[in-house]
Amino acid sequence: MDTGVIPLWQPLCLSGLLGFVVAASLFGLTRRLRSIVQPWVVLRVQSELPLILQIQRWQHRYLDNFFSLLSCIVSVPFYTGFIPILFWSGHSKLGRQVTFLMAFCDYIGNALKDAVSAPRPSSPPVRRVTATEDEKENAMEYGLPSSHALNTVCLSGYLLHYALTTYGNEMNGFRVWIGFFLVVLLVSLIAIGRIYLGMHSFIDVAAGIAMGVIILAFWLVVDDHIDNFVTSGPNVTSFCAGLSLVLLFAYPTPEAPTPSFEYHTAFNGVAFGLVSGVQQTYHLFHSEDIPRIFSSELSIPVFFGRLLAGIPTILIVKFCSKALAKWLFPVICNTLGIPIRSSCYIAALKESESSKNKSDNKQLGFLQRAISLLPHKTYDVDTGIRFIQYAGLGWSVSDLVPYIFTRLYLS
């Protein structure tokens, strides 16, 4: 548990990341990477247009609906329901690992997307199908790599690994091959679907699958070490808070604004909220000794009772966290003299020339003078609001809701 002792490797890790952020800014690493990779990717995307159009000749409304529905597997609504189910069904370790793995995949994939800033296939001539609001937002991102392909490889592959390591004694060779076949089938359908829907080219999907395999192989080596640190390591919450902050600044700047950074911020917040909650309640609700679904201690009716009580609770906490952050962040930033703006959450904070120079002649105190050493630009307060909003959701899944279960005799 969190003992307050700070191991040497933690400040060294954060200092190293900060050093990378400074070096990347000074030497323009993102621009250099983009100038090398983007032209090659653009040529590949353009050369693959005839193949994409050839696949789309098979268009049918049933295929549109099928592939659109399939793409929801790694969407935000899917994670909102899937991760709480893992925790509340007794598979807390799997829930932690899936959350951290998906946060890692989301950061790496979206950071590379915005660093390269390679476009999706041109529409027209490609027919782009965006049946849901999530897909419409996804279409505003850059193309390479395909996040759906990357995340599907990692999620399905890790679920298969968990099944083999947890229930290996009950699985014969035939069942293992069936599980492997289902993973390959799902990844293949997702890959074909992203091309059929006009969301990605072949190079985007291939890069997503390749990165997914590499990340999954890396995660299978470090997952137990990460879980041991989160559940019983020193100074976990403080370190994760610092890491989350540094990662926000380490994220590359794209050629044009996209929703990719927002997705990372949300998943980053969920991961931090889960860490803070697990740290407080590990031995009560999240150890390997807790009952799992289908056992005598956790029956199906009790599990459905948990869902009926838990899902509304985490949505309420998410709403309240957002409302609190919308009030709190402007107050703190104005007190410290940090120039802020809001792109969507707070209408009164739309950036204007008058607001930029509003506090130029004010006498600054010590804190304000220290803050003035930061780069002279306005900071989007929506990032902090979004982080707190989803951190509240993650904390409620792992801390508040399990406590409510005990009060409702659902534990």
PDB file of all heavy atoms in Angstrom, residues 45-57 59 119-130 192-202 204:
ATOM      1  N   VAL A  45      -1.320   5.676 -48.826  1.00  0.00           N
ATOM      2  CA  VAL A  45      -2.773   5.821 -48.710  1.00  0.00           C
ATOM      3  C   VAL A  45      -3.383   6.124 -50.072  1.00  0.00           C
ATOM      4  O   VAL A  45      -4.417   5.554 -50.459  1.00  0.00           O
ATOM      5  CB  VAL A  45      -3.136   6.921 -47.690  1.00  0.00           C
ATOM      6  CG1 VAL A  45      -4.636   7.202 -47.714  1.00  0.00           C
ATOM      7  CG2 VAL A  45      -2.701   6.511 -46.287  1.00  0.00           C
ATOM      8  N   GLN A  46      -2.760   7.004 -50.827  1.00  0.00           N
ATOM      9  CA  GLN A  46      -3.281   7.350 -52.152  1.00  0.00           C
ATOM     10  C   GLN A  46      -3.205   6.166 -53.111  1.00  0.00           C
ATOM     11  O   GLN A  46      -4.126   5.941 -53.910  1.00  0.00           O
ATOM     12  CB  GLN A  46      -2.502   8.539 -52.706  1.00  0.00           C
ATOM     13  CG  GLN A  46      -2.749   9.834 -51.953  1.00  0.00           C
ATOM     14  CD  GLN A  46      -1.862  10.968 -52.428  1.00  0.00           C
ATOM     15  OE1 GLN A  46      -0.889  10.746 -53.163  1.00  0.00           O
ATOM     16  NE2 GLN A  46      -2.182  12.186 -52.019  1.00  0.00           N
ATOM     17  N   SER A  47      -2.124   5.401 -53.033  1.00  0.00           N
ATOM     18  CA  SER A  47      -1.973   4.261 -53.938  1.00  0.00           C
ATOM     19  C   SER A  47      -2.945   3.134 -53.613  1.00  0.00           C
ATOM     20  O   SER A  47      -3.229   2.293 -54.478  1.00  0.00           O
ATOM     21  CB  SER A  47      -0.537   3.728 -53.879  1.00  0.00           C
ATOM     22  OG  SER A  47      -0.254   3.168 -52.594  1.00  0.00           O
ATOM     23  N   GLU A  48      -3.461   3.104 -52.384  1.00  0.00           N
ATOM     24  CA  GLU A  48      -4.373   2.039 -51.969  1.00  0.00           C
ATOM     25  C   GLU A  48      -5.839   2.382 -52.207  1.00  0.00           C
ATOM     26  O   GLU A  48      -6.717   1.551 -51.940  1.00  0.00           O
ATOM     27  CB  GLU A  48      -4.156   1.715 -50.487  1.00  0.00           C
ATOM     28  CG  GLU A  48      -2.802   1.063 -50.207  1.00  0.00           C
ATOM     29  CD  GLU A  48      -2.502   0.963 -48.723  1.00  0.00           C
ATOM     30  OE1 GLU A  48      -3.334   1.453 -47.920  1.00  0.00           O
ATOM     31  OE2 GLU A  48      -1.454   0.418 -48.357  1.00  0.00           O
ATOM     32  N   LEU A  49      -6.127   3.573 -52.709  1.00  0.00           N
ATOM     33  CA  LEU A  49      -7.513   3.958 -52.946  1.00  0.00           C
ATOM     34  C   LEU A  49      -8.249   2.984 -53.878  1.00  0.00           C
ATOM     35  O   LEU A  49      -9.410   2.633 -53.600  1.00  0.00           O
ATOM     36  CB  LEU A  49      -7.572   5.383 -53.503  1.00  0.00           C
ATOM     37  CG  LEU A  49      -7.319   6.516 -52.515  1.00  0.00           C
ATOM     38  CD1 LEU A  49      -7.367   7.873 -53.231  1.00  0.00           C
ATOM     39  CD2 LEU A  49      -8.342   6.497 -51.391  1.00  0.00           C
ATOM     40  N   PRO A  50      -7.655   2.522 -54.993  1.00  0.00           N
ATOM     41  CA  PRO A  50      -8.381   1.568 -55.849  1.00  0.00           C
ATOM     42  C   PRO A  50      -8.759   0.276 -55.118  1.00  0.00           C
ATOM     43  O   PRO A  50      -9.848  -0.265 -55.338  1.00  0.00           O
ATOM     44  CB  PRO A  50      -7.383   1.290 -56.981  1.00  0.00           C
ATOM     45  CG  PRO A  50      -6.511   2.508 -57.023  1.00  0.00           C
ATOM     46  CD  PRO A  50      -6.371   2.940 -55.599  1.00  0.00           C
ATOM     47  N   LEU A  51      -7.876  -0.218 -54.220  1.00  0.00           N
ATOM     48  CA  LEU A  51      -8.188  -1.434 -53.477  1.00  0.00           C
ATOM     49  C   LEU A  51      -9.346  -1.202 -52.507  1.00  0.00           C
ATOM     50  O   LEU A  51     -10.220  -2.058 -52.333  1.00  0.00           O
ATOM     51  CB  LEU A  51      -6.949  -1.908 -52.718  1.00  0.00           C
ATOM     52  CG  LEU A  51      -5.797  -2.443 -53.573  1.00  0.00           C
ATOM     53  CD1 LEU A  51      -4.600  -2.777 -52.693  1.00  0.00           C
ATOM     54  CD2 LEU A  51      -6.240  -3.667 -54.358  1.00  0.00           C
ATOM     55  N   ILE A  52      -9.339  -0.025 -51.855  1.00  0.00           N
ATOM     56  CA  ILE A  52     -10.425   0.300 -50.930  1.00  0.00           C
ATOM     57  C   ILE A  52     -11.748   0.389 -51.678  1.00  0.00           C
ATOM     58  O   ILE A  52     -12.785  -0.146 -51.238  1.00  0.00           O
ATOM     59  CB  ILE A  52     -10.128   1.620 -50.191  1.00  0.00           C
ATOM     60  CG1 ILE A  52      -8.828   1.502 -49.395  1.00  0.00           C
ATOM     61  CG2 ILE A  52     -11.285   1.999 -49.271  1.00  0.00           C
ATOM     62  CD1 ILE A  52      -8.383   2.795 -48.749  1.00  0.00           C
ATOM     63  N   LEU A  53     -11.741   1.046 -52.843  1.00  0.00           N
ATOM     64  CA  LEU A  53     -12.961   1.159 -53.650  1.00  0.00           C
ATOM     65  C   LEU A  53     -13.424  -0.212 -54.137  1.00  0.00           C
ATOM     66  O   LEU A  53     -14.630  -0.453 -54.265  1.00  0.00           O
ATOM     67  CB  LEU A  53     -12.714   2.092 -54.831  1.00  0.00           C
ATOM     68  CG  LEU A  53     -12.439   3.564 -54.470  1.00  0.00           C
ATOM     69  CD1 LEU A  53     -12.065   4.355 -55.710  1.00  0.00           C
ATOM     70  CD2 LEU A  53     -13.644   4.178 -53.788  1.00  0.00           C
ATOM     71  N   GLN A  54     -12.464  -1.095 -54.395  1.00  0.00           N
ATOM     72  CA  GLN A  54     -12.822  -2.446 -54.820  1.00  0.00           C
ATOM     73  C   GLN A  54     -13.554  -3.181 -53.711  1.00  0.00           C
ATOM     74  O   GLN A  54     -14.564  -3.866 -53.941  1.00  0.00           O
ATOM     75  CB  GLN A  54     -11.549  -3.214 -55.220  1.00  0.00           C
ATOM     76  CG  GLN A  54     -11.795  -4.574 -55.834  1.00  0.00           C
ATOM     77  CD  GLN A  54     -12.302  -4.471 -57.266  1.00  0.00           C
ATOM     78  OE1 GLN A  54     -12.187  -3.416 -57.885  1.00  0.00           O
ATOM     79  NE2 GLN A  54     -12.865  -5.564 -57.775  1.00  0.00           N
ATOM     80  N   ILE A  55     -13.095  -3.021 -52.463  1.00  0.00           N
ATOM     81  CA  ILE A  55     -13.768  -3.651 -51.318  1.00  0.00           C
ATOM     82  C   ILE A  55     -15.148  -3.036 -51.111  1.00  0.00           C
ATOM     83  O   ILE A  55     -16.124  -3.741 -50.810  1.00  0.00           O
ATOM     84  CB  ILE A  55     -12.900  -3.504 -50.052  1.00  0.00           C
ATOM     85  CG1 ILE A  55     -11.645  -4.360 -50.164  1.00  0.00           C
ATOM     86  CG2 ILE A  55     -13.688  -3.870 -48.787  1.00  0.00           C
ATOM     87  CD1 ILE A  55     -10.695  -4.214 -48.995  1.00  0.00           C
ATOM     88  N   GLN A  56     -15.254  -1.734 -51.299  1.00  0.00           N
ATOM     89  CA  GLN A  56     -16.527  -1.059 -51.063  1.00  0.00           C
ATOM     90  C   GLN A  56     -17.557  -1.332 -52.155  1.00  0.00           C
ATOM     91  O   GLN A  56     -18.723  -0.966 -51.995  1.00  0.00           O
ATOM     92  CB  GLN A  56     -16.298   0.442 -50.917  1.00  0.00           C
ATOM     93  CG  GLN A  56     -15.570   0.815 -49.633  1.00  0.00           C
ATOM     94  CD  GLN A  56     -15.628   2.302 -49.339  1.00  0.00           C
ATOM     95  OE1 GLN A  56     -15.750   3.125 -50.237  1.00  0.00           O
ATOM     96  NE2 GLN A  56     -15.563   2.641 -48.057  1.00  0.00           N
ATOM     97  N   ARG A  57     -17.155  -1.979 -53.227  1.00  0.00           N
ATOM     98  CA  ARG A  57     -18.137  -2.371 -54.246  1.00  0.00           C
ATOM     99  C   ARG A  57     -19.118  -3.400 -53.697  1.00  0.00           C
ATOM    100  O   ARG A  57     -20.215  -3.566 -54.220  1.00  0.00           O
ATOM    101  CB  ARG A  57     -17.415  -2.963 -55.467  1.00  0.00           C
ATOM    102  CG  ARG A  57     -16.668  -1.938 -56.318  1.00  0.00           C
ATOM    103  CD  ARG A  57     -15.967  -2.615 -57.471  1.00  0.00           C
ATOM    104  NE  ARG A  57     -16.902  -3.357 -58.325  1.00  0.00           N
ATOM    105  CZ  ARG A  57     -16.530  -4.165 -59.315  1.00  0.00           C
ATOM    106  NH1 ARG A  57     -15.249  -4.322 -59.588  1.00  0.00           N
ATOM    107  NH2 ARG A  57     -17.443  -4.812 -60.023  1.00  0.00           N
ATOM    108  N   GLN A  59     -20.700  -3.158 -51.022  1.00  0.00           N
ATOM    109  CA  GLN A  59     -21.491  -2.485 -49.993  1.00  0.00           C
ATOM    110  C   GLN A  59     -22.930  -3.000 -49.953  1.00  0.00           C
ATOM    111  O   GLN A  59     -23.551  -3.306 -50.967  1.00  0.00           O
ATOM    112  CB  GLN A  59     -21.488  -0.978 -50.227  1.00  0.00           C
ATOM    113  CG  GLN A  59     -22.322  -0.514 -51.411  1.00  0.00           C
ATOM    114  CD  GLN A  59     -22.329   0.997 -51.544  1.00  0.00           C
ATOM    115  OE1 GLN A  59     -21.322   1.597 -51.906  1.00  0.00           O
ATOM    116  NE2 GLN A  59     -23.459   1.603 -51.242  1.00  0.00           N
ATOM    117  N   PRO A 119      -3.305  11.612 -43.285  1.00  0.00           N
ATOM    118  CA  PRO A 119      -4.763  11.645 -43.462  1.00  0.00           C
ATOM    119  C   PRO A 119      -5.361  10.264 -43.663  1.00  0.00           C
ATOM    120  O   PRO A 119      -4.678   9.305 -44.039  1.00  0.00           O
ATOM    121  CB  PRO A 119      -4.927  12.493 -44.730  1.00  0.00           C
ATOM    122  CG  PRO A 119      -3.662  12.267 -45.497  1.00  0.00           C
ATOM    123  CD  PRO A 119      -2.585  12.111 -44.462  1.00  0.00           C
ATOM    124  N   ARG A 120      -6.658  10.162 -43.425  1.00  0.00           N
ATOM    125  CA  ARG A 120      -7.416   8.973 -43.769  1.00  0.00           C
ATOM    126  C   ARG A 120      -7.647   8.958 -45.284  1.00  0.00           C
ATOM    127  O   ARG A 120      -7.385   9.962 -45.972  1.00  0.00           O
ATOM    128  CB  ARG A 120      -8.757   8.973 -43.028  1.00  0.00           C
ATOM    129  CG  ARG A 120      -8.627   8.873 -41.509  1.00  0.00           C
ATOM    130  CD  ARG A 120      -9.987   8.921 -40.850  1.00  0.00           C
ATOM    131  NE  ARG A 120      -9.881   8.901 -39.386  1.00  0.00           N
ATOM    132  CZ  ARG A 120      -9.871   7.799 -38.649  1.00  0.00           C
ATOM    133  NH1 ARG A 120      -9.960   6.622 -39.233  1.00  0.00           N
ATOM    134  NH2 ARG A 120      -9.773   7.867 -37.337  1.00  0.00           N
ATOM    135  N   PRO A 121      -8.166   7.863 -45.823  1.00  0.00           N
ATOM    136  CA  PRO A 121      -8.499   7.841 -47.259  1.00  0.00           C
ATOM    137  C   PRO A 121      -9.474   8.958 -47.634  1.00  0.00           C
ATOM    138  O   PRO A 121     -10.410   9.252 -46.882  1.00  0.00           O
ATOM    139  CB  PRO A 121      -9.147   6.452 -47.442  1.00  0.00           C
ATOM    140  CG  PRO A 121      -8.600   5.630 -46.328  1.00  0.00           C
ATOM    141  CD  PRO A 121      -8.404   6.561 -45.176  1.00  0.00           C
ATOM    142  N   SER A 122      -9.245   9.577 -48.753  1.00  0.00           N
ATOM    143  CA  SER A 122     -10.052  10.729 -49.167  1.00  0.00           C
ATOM    144  C   SER A 122     -11.502  10.321 -49.395  1.00  0.00           C
ATOM    145  O   SER A 122     -11.793   9.317 -50.039  1.00  0.00           O
ATOM    146  CB  SER A 122      -9.486  11.336 -50.446  1.00  0.00           C
ATOM    147  OG  SER A 122      -8.152  11.757 -50.250  1.00  0.00           O
ATOM    148  N   SER A 123     -12.412  11.128 -48.867  1.00  0.00           N
ATOM    149  CA  SER A 123     -13.844  10.875 -49.037  1.00  0.00           C
ATOM    150  C   SER A 123     -14.520  12.155 -49.529  1.00  0.00           C
ATOM    151  O   SER A 123     -14.611  13.138 -48.781  1.00  0.00           O
ATOM    152  CB  SER A 123     -14.471  10.451 -47.706  1.00  0.00           C
ATOM    153  OG  SER A 123     -15.857  10.278 -47.826  1.00  0.00           O
ATOM    154  N   PRO A 124     -15.066  12.159 -50.779  1.00  0.00           N
ATOM    155  CA  PRO A 124     -14.962  11.127 -51.812  1.00  0.00           C
ATOM    156  C   PRO A 124     -13.538  11.046 -52.388  1.00  0.00           C
ATOM    157  O   PRO A 124     -12.744  11.939 -52.117  1.00  0.00           O
ATOM    158  CB  PRO A 124     -15.973  11.607 -52.858  1.00  0.00           C
ATOM    159  CG  PRO A 124     -16.009  13.096 -52.684  1.00  0.00           C
ATOM    160  CD  PRO A 124     -15.765  13.361 -51.237  1.00  0.00           C
ATOM    161  N   PRO A 125     -13.222   9.982 -53.137  1.00  0.00           N
ATOM    162  CA  PRO A 125     -14.123   8.971 -53.710  1.00  0.00           C
ATOM    163  C   PRO A 125     -14.526   7.853 -52.727  1.00  0.00           C
ATOM    164  O   PRO A 125     -15.479   7.136 -52.990  1.00  0.00           O
ATOM    165  CB  PRO A 125     -13.303   8.391 -54.864  1.00  0.00           C
ATOM    166  CG  PRO A 125     -11.895   8.521 -54.397  1.00  0.00           C
ATOM    167  CD  PRO A 125     -11.840   9.807 -53.630  1.00  0.00           C
ATOM    168  N   VAL A 126     -13.777   7.690 -51.648  1.00  0.00           N
ATOM    169  CA  VAL A 126     -14.108   6.626 -50.702  1.00  0.00           C
ATOM    170  C   VAL A 126     -15.394   6.966 -49.973  1.00  0.00           C
ATOM    171  O   VAL A 126     -15.629   8.123 -49.587  1.00  0.00           O
ATOM    172  CB  VAL A 126     -12.949   6.434 -49.692  1.00  0.00           C
ATOM    173  CG1 VAL A 126     -13.378   5.527 -48.545  1.00  0.00           C
ATOM    174  CG2 VAL A 126     -11.727   5.858 -50.394  1.00  0.00           C
ATOM    175  N   ARG A 127     -16.242   5.971 -49.778  1.00  0.00           N
ATOM    176  CA  ARG A 127     -17.490   6.143 -49.019  1.00  0.00           C
ATOM    177  C   ARG A 127     -17.199   5.911 -47.544  1.00  0.00           C
ATOM    178  O   ARG A 127     -16.785   4.837 -47.151  1.00  0.00           O
ATOM    179  CB  ARG A 127     -18.543   5.145 -49.513  1.00  0.00           C
ATOM    180  CG  ARG A 127     -19.926   5.302 -48.877  1.00  0.00           C
ATOM    181  CD  ARG A 127     -20.851   4.232 -49.430  1.00  0.00           C
ATOM    182  NE  ARG A 127     -20.447   2.905 -48.997  1.00  0.00           N
ATOM    183  CZ  ARG A 127     -21.105   2.201 -48.059  1.00  0.00           C
ATOM    184  NH1 ARG A 127     -22.179   2.688 -47.479  1.00  0.00           N
ATOM    185  NH2 ARG A 127     -20.678   0.996 -47.736  1.00  0.00           N
ATOM    186  N   ARG A 128     -17.387   6.932 -46.723  1.00  0.00           N
ATOM    187  CA  ARG A 128     -17.101   6.826 -45.291  1.00  0.00           C
ATOM    188  C   ARG A 128     -18.416   6.659 -44.529  1.00  0.00           C
ATOM    189  O   ARG A 128     -19.297   7.525 -44.605  1.00  0.00           O
ATOM    190  CB  ARG A 128     -16.336   8.048 -44.798  1.00  0.00           C
ATOM    191  CG  ARG A 128     -15.917   7.965 -43.335  1.00  0.00           C
ATOM    192  CD  ARG A 128     -14.786   8.935 -43.069  1.00  0.00           C
ATOM    193  NE  ARG A 128     -13.597   8.561 -43.817  1.00  0.00           N
ATOM    194  CZ  ARG A 128     -12.688   9.429 -44.267  1.00  0.00           C
ATOM    195  NH1 ARG A 128     -12.864  10.721 -44.064  1.00  0.00           N
ATOM    196  NH2 ARG A 128     -11.646   8.992 -44.945  1.00  0.00           N
ATOM    197  N   VAL A 129     -18.535   5.567 -43.804  1.00  0.00           N
ATOM    198  CA  VAL A 129     -19.746   5.255 -43.043  1.00  0.00           C
ATOM    199  C   VAL A 129     -19.506   5.599 -41.588  1.00  0.00           C
ATOM    200  O   VAL A 129     -18.648   5.009 -40.928  1.00  0.00           O
ATOM    201  CB  VAL A 129     -20.127   3.765 -43.187  1.00  0.00           C
ATOM    202  CG1 VAL A 129     -21.409   3.476 -42.414  1.00  0.00           C
ATOM    203  CG2 VAL A 129     -20.282   3.389 -44.651  1.00  0.00           C
ATOM    204  N   THR A 130     -20.268   6.561 -41.064  1.00  0.00           N
ATOM    205  CA  THR A 130     -20.168   6.950 -39.649  1.00  0.00           C
ATOM    206  C   THR A 130     -21.564   6.847 -39.051  1.00  0.00           C
ATOM    207  O   THR A 130     -22.312   7.822 -39.016  1.00  0.00           O
ATOM    208  CB  THR A 130     -19.611   8.375 -39.509  1.00  0.00           C
ATOM    209  OG1 THR A 130     -20.406   9.270 -40.303  1.00  0.00           O
ATOM    210  CG2 THR A 130     -18.174   8.445 -39.975  1.00  0.00           C
ATOM    211  N   ILE A 192     -10.854  -5.614 -41.637  1.00  0.00           N
ATOM    212  CA  ILE A 192     -11.625  -5.504 -42.883  1.00  0.00           C
ATOM    213  C   ILE A 192     -12.713  -4.443 -42.741  1.00  0.00           C
ATOM    214  O   ILE A 192     -12.961  -3.657 -43.665  1.00  0.00           O
ATOM    215  CB  ILE A 192     -12.242  -6.870 -43.240  1.00  0.00           C
ATOM    216  CG1 ILE A 192     -11.146  -7.876 -43.557  1.00  0.00           C
ATOM    217  CG2 ILE A 192     -13.202  -6.740 -44.426  1.00  0.00           C
ATOM    218  CD1 ILE A 192     -11.651  -9.295 -43.740  1.00  0.00           C
ATOM    219  N   GLY A 193     -13.343  -4.397 -41.570  1.00  0.00           N
ATOM    220  CA  GLY A 193     -14.413  -3.431 -41.339  1.00  0.00           C
ATOM    221  C   GLY A 193     -13.935  -1.998 -41.403  1.00  0.00           C
ATOM    222  O   GLY A 193     -14.636  -1.127 -41.940  1.00  0.00           O
ATOM    223  N   ARG A 194     -12.734  -1.737 -40.863  1.00  0.00           N
ATOM    224  CA  ARG A 194     -12.225  -0.347 -40.904  1.00  0.00           C
ATOM    225  C   ARG A 194     -11.980   0.103 -42.340  1.00  0.00           C
ATOM    226  O   ARG A 194     -12.158   1.275 -42.678  1.00  0.00           O
ATOM    227  CB  ARG A 194     -10.931  -0.227 -40.088  1.00  0.00           C
ATOM    228  CG  ARG A 194     -11.056  -0.623 -38.630  1.00  0.00           C
ATOM    229  CD  ARG A 194     -12.276  -0.035 -37.964  1.00  0.00           C
ATOM    230  NE  ARG A 194     -12.141   1.404 -37.735  1.00  0.00           N
ATOM    231  CZ  ARG A 194     -13.146   2.191 -37.399  1.00  0.00           C
ATOM    232  NH1 ARG A 194     -14.367   1.707 -37.319  1.00  0.00           N
ATOM    233  NH2 ARG A 194     -12.940   3.472 -37.182  1.00  0.00           N
ATOM    234  N   ILE A 195     -11.555  -0.847 -43.201  1.00  0.00           N
ATOM    235  CA  ILE A 195     -11.340  -0.511 -44.608  1.00  0.00           C
ATOM    236  C   ILE A 195     -12.675  -0.393 -45.329  1.00  0.00           C
ATOM    237  O   ILE A 195     -12.908   0.548 -46.098  1.00  0.00           O
ATOM    238  CB  ILE A 195     -10.446  -1.570 -45.274  1.00  0.00           C
ATOM    239  CG1 ILE A 195      -9.070  -1.592 -44.612  1.00  0.00           C
ATOM    240  CG2 ILE A 195     -10.309  -1.287 -46.769  1.00  0.00           C
ATOM    241  CD1 ILE A 195      -8.178  -2.721 -45.075  1.00  0.00           C
ATOM    242  N   TYR A 196     -13.586  -1.330 -45.069  1.00  0.00           N
ATOM    243  CA  TYR A 196     -14.896  -1.313 -45.721  1.00  0.00           C
ATOM    244  C   TYR A 196     -15.659  -0.041 -45.387  1.00  0.00           C
ATOM    245  O   TYR A 196     -16.332   0.538 -46.254  1.00  0.00           O
ATOM    246  CB  TYR A 196     -15.695  -2.536 -45.278  1.00  0.00           C
ATOM    247  CG  TYR A 196     -17.137  -2.518 -45.744  1.00  0.00           C
ATOM    248  CD1 TYR A 196     -17.485  -2.999 -47.003  1.00  0.00           C
ATOM    249  CD2 TYR A 196     -18.148  -2.005 -44.932  1.00  0.00           C
ATOM    250  CE1 TYR A 196     -18.805  -2.969 -47.441  1.00  0.00           C
ATOM    251  CE2 TYR A 196     -19.464  -1.969 -45.360  1.00  0.00           C
ATOM    252  CZ  TYR A 196     -19.789  -2.446 -46.606  1.00  0.00           C
ATOM    253  OH  TYR A 196     -21.085  -2.404 -47.033  1.00  0.00           O
ATOM    254  N   LEU A 197     -15.569   0.428 -44.127  1.00  0.00           N
ATOM    255  CA  LEU A 197     -16.286   1.632 -43.711  1.00  0.00           C
ATOM    256  C   LEU A 197     -15.622   2.914 -44.195  1.00  0.00           C
ATOM    257  O   LEU A 197     -16.142   4.007 -43.967  1.00  0.00           O
ATOM    258  CB  LEU A 197     -16.406   1.662 -42.185  1.00  0.00           C
ATOM    259  CG  LEU A 197     -17.231   0.534 -41.547  1.00  0.00           C
ATOM    260  CD1 LEU A 197     -17.140   0.604 -40.021  1.00  0.00           C
ATOM    261  CD2 LEU A 197     -18.689   0.617 -41.994  1.00  0.00           C
ATOM    262  N   GLY A 198     -14.469   2.786 -44.864  1.00  0.00           N
ATOM    263  CA  GLY A 198     -13.781   3.962 -45.387  1.00  0.00           C
ATOM    264  C   GLY A 198     -13.028   4.748 -44.334  1.00  0.00           C
ATOM    265  O   GLY A 198     -12.635   5.894 -44.583  1.00  0.00           O
ATOM    266  N   MET A 199     -12.775   4.141 -43.178  1.00  0.00           N
ATOM    267  CA  MET A 199     -12.110   4.843 -42.082  1.00  0.00           C
ATOM    268  C   MET A 199     -10.588   4.740 -42.166  1.00  0.00           C
ATOM    269  O   MET A 199      -9.879   5.601 -41.649  1.00  0.00           O
ATOM    270  CB  MET A 199     -12.581   4.279 -40.748  1.00  0.00           C
ATOM    271  CG  MET A 199     -14.074   4.456 -40.487  1.00  0.00           C
ATOM    272  SD  MET A 199     -14.567   6.186 -40.322  1.00  0.00           S
ATOM    273  CE  MET A 199     -13.889   6.571 -38.718  1.00  0.00           C
ATOM    274  N   HIS A 200     -10.084   3.674 -42.786  1.00  0.00           N
ATOM    275  CA  HIS A 200      -8.641   3.452 -42.828  1.00  0.00           C
ATOM    276  C   HIS A 200      -8.231   2.823 -44.144  1.00  0.00           C
ATOM    277  O   HIS A 200      -9.042   2.199 -44.841  1.00  0.00           O
ATOM    278  CB  HIS A 200      -8.188   2.542 -41.670  1.00  0.00           C
ATOM    279  CG  HIS A 200      -8.189   3.215 -40.337  1.00  0.00           C
ATOM    280  ND1 HIS A 200      -7.252   4.150 -39.966  1.00  0.00           N
ATOM    281  CD2 HIS A 200      -9.030   3.077 -39.278  1.00  0.00           C
ATOM    282  CE1 HIS A 200      -7.510   4.560 -38.733  1.00  0.00           C
ATOM    283  NE2 HIS A 200      -8.577   3.931 -38.300  1.00  0.00           N
ATOM    284  N   SER A 201      -6.953   2.968 -44.452  1.00  0.00           N
ATOM    285  CA  SER A 201      -6.347   2.275 -45.572  1.00  0.00           C
ATOM    286  C   SER A 201      -5.630   1.029 -45.060  1.00  0.00           C
ATOM    287  O   SER A 201      -5.560   0.782 -43.855  1.00  0.00           O
ATOM    288  CB  SER A 201      -5.357   3.195 -46.294  1.00  0.00           C
ATOM    289  OG  SER A 201      -4.327   3.591 -45.392  1.00  0.00           O
ATOM    290  N   PHE A 202      -5.070   0.243 -45.984  1.00  0.00           N
ATOM    291  CA  PHE A 202      -4.375  -0.990 -45.604  1.00  0.00           C
ATOM    292  C   PHE A 202      -3.163  -0.688 -44.725  1.00  0.00           C
ATOM    293  O   PHE A 202      -2.888  -1.426 -43.774  1.00  0.00           O
ATOM    294  CB  PHE A 202      -3.942  -1.749 -46.859  1.00  0.00           C
ATOM    295  CG  PHE A 202      -5.072  -2.417 -47.576  1.00  0.00           C
ATOM    296  CD1 PHE A 202      -5.801  -1.727 -48.544  1.00  0.00           C
ATOM    297  CD2 PHE A 202      -5.427  -3.719 -47.292  1.00  0.00           C
ATOM    298  CE1 PHE A 202      -6.847  -2.332 -49.219  1.00  0.00           C
ATOM    299  CE2 PHE A 202      -6.475  -4.336 -47.957  1.00  0.00           C
ATOM    300  CZ  PHE A 202      -7.187  -3.638 -48.932  1.00  0.00           C
ATOM    301  N   ASP A 204      -2.706   1.743 -42.638  1.00  0.00           N
ATOM    302  CA  ASP A 204      -3.149   2.106 -41.288  1.00  0.00           C
ATOM    303  C   ASP A 204      -3.453   0.862 -40.454  1.00  0.00           C
ATOM    304  O   ASP A 204      -3.040   0.745 -39.297  1.00  0.00           O
ATOM    305  CB  ASP A 204      -4.416   2.975 -41.349  1.00  0.00           C
ATOM    306  CG  ASP A 204      -4.208   4.268 -42.105  1.00  0.00           C
ATOM    307  OD1 ASP A 204      -3.046   4.705 -42.216  1.00  0.00           O
ATOM    308  OD2 ASP A 204      -5.206   4.833 -42.588  1.00  0.00           O
TER     309      ASP A 204
END
